[in-house]
Amino acid sequence: MMVERARVVAVDAEACWVETIATPACSACASGQGCGGGVIGKLRGERRTHLRVVLPASLRPAVDDEVEIGVHEHGVLRASALAYLLPLAGMVAGAVAGERLAPPGAADAWSMAAAAAGFLLAVAGARALSRGPYSGIAAPELL
């Protein structure tokens, strides 16, 4: 489970809003000697992210409480696959289908049009799958 510390900024009946502060992942990034993430982070300034976390019945935090939120790794993996792999697969499948179905001499145009259509269909499918009742995609929970 990936864990991040956060501060509660609001509480309602079934959920709370928490605020996290994005920090560099490693000391090399923080000093600006790594991949460049630390330098970019310094240029953008301190970023605060607000998340809505559904509360279990036994947990009632107060505003300004510090909490730990966790996201299961499989949820992050599933969200990544839906966001990146599914649209890519739709685009490739559309391009191949467009090339095979094209009349002679128009394979490039048909392939590009079908790739765009496959991409848009895959994005729509990914959005529908991520909003379903059993998506289980990267849902944060209080620990």
Side-chain angles (χ1 to χ4, degrees):
M1 179 171 284
M2 298 167 57
V3 178
E4 178 81 23
R5 296 199 60 76
R7 184 178 63 88
V8 178
V9 293
V11 180
D12 62 25
E14 70 273 346
C16 71
W17 288 91
V18 296
E19 176 182 73
T20 63
I21 300 172
T23 57
C26 65
S27 60
C29 285
S31 66
Q33 298 176 1
C35 64
V39 175
I40 294 170
K42 287 178 186 175
L43 290 173
R44 292 177 66 191
E46 188 177 82
R47 271 188 33 213
R48 297 183 185 270
T49 304
H50 291 90
L51 296 171
R52 182 176 184 270
V53 181
V54 177
L55 295 172
S58 62
L59 198 61
R60 291 288 162 220
V63 174
D64 287 332
D65 281 354
E66 262 198 34
V67 295
E68 286 187 346
I69 56 173
V71 177
H72 293 284
E73 286 90 355
H74 66 81
V76 174
L77 181 63
R78 185 178 296 160
S80 298
L82 280 176
Y84 298 109
L85 191 60
L86 190 60
L88 179 63
M91 188 167 33
V92 170
V96 169
E99 183 179 16
R100 302 231 175 186
L101 297 174
D108 288 345
W110 277 61
S111 181
M112 287 189 295
F119 174 77
L120 293 174
L121 283 173
V123 167
R127 288 190 69 167
L129 287 173
S130 69
R131 293 184 180 176
Y134 301 105
S135 65
I137 296 176
E141 59 187 59
L142 288 182
L143 303 177

